[in-house]
Amino acid sequence: MAGNDLIEEIKALEQNALIALDEAQSKESLEEWRISYIGRKGALTSILRQLPSLTPEDRRLLGSIGNKVKTNLEQSFANAEQSLTKSANTNGNPSVDVTMPGRQISIGKLHPTTQILREICDAFVGMGFQVVEGPEVEWDHYNFEKLNIPKDHPARDMWDTLWIDYENDNREKSMLMRTHTSPMQVRIMENSQPPLRVLVPGKCYRYEATDATHESQFYQVEGLVVDQGITFANLKGTLYEFARLLFGTDRKVRFRVDYFPFVEPGAEMAIDCFSCSNGEGCRVCKGTGWIEILGAGMVNPKVLEGLGYDPSIYTGFAFGMGPERIAMLKYGIDDIRLFYSNDVRFLSQF
Ligand code: PHE
């Protein structure tokens, strides 16, 4: 027989075999099917036996088609055998076990930093603050100069700065990644009139070696209040209320003198440890009973003057905090690097 006819024959055989396989619904009929189609004396074998009588070209062609058909039929047979055993095990009932637990669908969540930022903003919005944002690439002018930190002032060492590769007309590096959110105090006072009550969440950057408590990129939340007759009592009351909202109504607060060039007097605020509570000291508060959570102070009259505000009429207070640090305290996280290393095992806990 010629090669072409055999190819037709083998294709027809494949089709018929698959139809017959569908109909074979018992062990016995499956076995009969196997013998008659792919067995040693079966239909496929008898076609392939004719290979040697063909021209070498036809032989190669038919050989390869024959192999494919053989594999297909063998595989289909194995599948049919398997599904027969399966349905036998379920006594002919459909093989769906409705008592099996469903597949778990993992749900996306807000990043812990986003969650804590929202909590902080909510606390201050409730006290009448307005939320604004500012640029992360900043001028020296706003980040330092206007905040009473002139060039060569030793206080610049408090902020290890990442400078942008750019020089102004005086060939000075004047552009940087903001090292804190305080430059927004200046931008806000420049552009608006008191009464001011604003909150500035945003990313900051420092040229810093990374460790468990330092990251070179982190968030800050800045607060600024300016009006006539604002006093240190307003600062204390506002921040006390904030601490109670975030850390519980029993919190006590402690203010101690601290130095920041743009506030006078400056203070650092701590809350009593919510972990050991009775002040005996634990790991969270490093044995002191107190946890420092932010820097604050009365806006330095020099800063007000530099922006054209008369300090004998207007006074104000400002504060700045690290939301990651607040989240670490609140949720007992001991390494700041976890926030931005994208480990789902960490992120899915919040
Ligand atoms: N900007 C200061 C810092 O980065 C924090 C601060 C803000 C202190 C406002 C006082 C007032 O450390």
Side-chain angles (χ1 to χ4, degrees), residues 159 179-182 185 206 220 222 260 262-263 295-297 318-320:
W159 298 275
T179 58
H180 50 180
T181 40
S182 302
Q185 290 187 33
R206 289 191 196 168
Q220 277 197 348
E222 189 88 8
F260 302 95
F262 36 92
V263 288
F319 56 87

Side-chain angles (χ1 to χ4, degrees), residues 18 64 74 104 106-107 120 155 232 234 247 255 307-308 344:
L18 290 175
S64 112
E74 281 170 355
Q104 191 149 13
S106 46
I107 297 167
I120 296 170
F232 205 92
N234 298 124
F247 293 99
F255 287 89
L307 290 161
V344 182

